[in-house]
């Protein structure tokens, strides 16, 4: 999808004449396993209170699931209740557009363009480097065994801007400001929490060098 922009502020971001921020090619949902705490989903937890939920490519890229993201609001954090006509004006910070299945190296995610129209949302992305996103949706769940289940029939309600999402850094707005990069230890915690192996490997590449390493 093409946007009329007055200026490009990175390969993945541009500004409209009004000052709205367009975030291009944002991964908003991914295939794979995610971890939940007890009572977050209708699946019995394991002995340590964890629930591992699998999302297959067949479910994530289901035509109805991908289409359900189009036109859905972008919010700042997840709201206490789903966005509806009654609360849309108070909660919406932008709109999700052009949702589609990723290709090639993005073959594990749904991509979308986010048009941010709210001043605070734009500031969070451009100044505070709040770039991760987290989808809010309804879904059905099938329990495989205690602590493990499968997610089906995903229908989106919103896409939230968050500091640390369950999807990990795989689902984030591009063109990060390296001067404001998330601290190393926070990146490690985030990757561990979300079971995001790619994010863990990326964080470990940037591990601080010790004095011993410098002497070698």
């Amino acid at each position: 999808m093409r946007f009329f922009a007055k200026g490009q502020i990175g390969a993945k971001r541009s500004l409209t004449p009004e000052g709205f921020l367009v975030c291009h090619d944002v991964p908003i949902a991914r295939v794979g396993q995610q971890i939940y705490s007890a009572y977050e989903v209708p699946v019995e937890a394991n002995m340590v209170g964890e629930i591992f939920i699998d999302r297959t490519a067949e479910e994530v890229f289901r035509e109805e699931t991908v289409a359900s993201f189009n036109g859905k609001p972008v919010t700042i954090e997840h709201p206490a209740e789903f966005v509806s006509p009654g609360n849309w004006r108070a909660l919406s910070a932008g709109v999700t557009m052009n949702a589609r299945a990723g290709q090639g190296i993005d073959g594990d995610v749904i991509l979308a363009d986010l048009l941010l129209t709210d001043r605070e949302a734009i500031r969070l992305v451009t100044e505070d480097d709040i770039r991760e996103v987290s989808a809010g949706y309804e879904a059905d769940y099938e329990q495989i065994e205690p602590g493990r289940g499968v997610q089906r029939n995903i229908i989106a309600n919103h896409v939230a801007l968050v500091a640390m999402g369950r999807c990990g850094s795989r689902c984030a707005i591009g063109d990060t400001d390296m001067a404001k990069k998330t601290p190393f230890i926070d990146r490690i915690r985030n990757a561990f929490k979300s079971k995001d192996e790619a994010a863990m490997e990326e964080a470990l590449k940037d591990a601080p060098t010790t004095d011993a390493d410098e002497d070698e």
Side-chain angles (χ1 to χ4, degrees), residues 8 11 16 18 60 72 94 98 102 104 115 130 164 183 195 206:
Q8 198 80 13
T16 71
E18 302 82 6
V60 171
K72 295 303 170 67
N98 192 27
L115 176 64
I130 302 298
M164 298 175 69
K195 308 296 182 182
D206 296 334

Side-chain angles (χ1 to χ4, degrees), residues 91-121:
L91 296 176
S92 179
V95 63
T96 306
M97 309 172 72
N98 192 27
R100 70 270 189 198
Q103 303 293 326
I105 61 173
D106 290 321
D108 62 331
V109 296
I110 295 176
L111 297 174
D113 302 323
L114 306 182
L115 176 64
L116 302 186
T117 55
D118 177 76
R119 180 184 301 173
E120 177 63 9

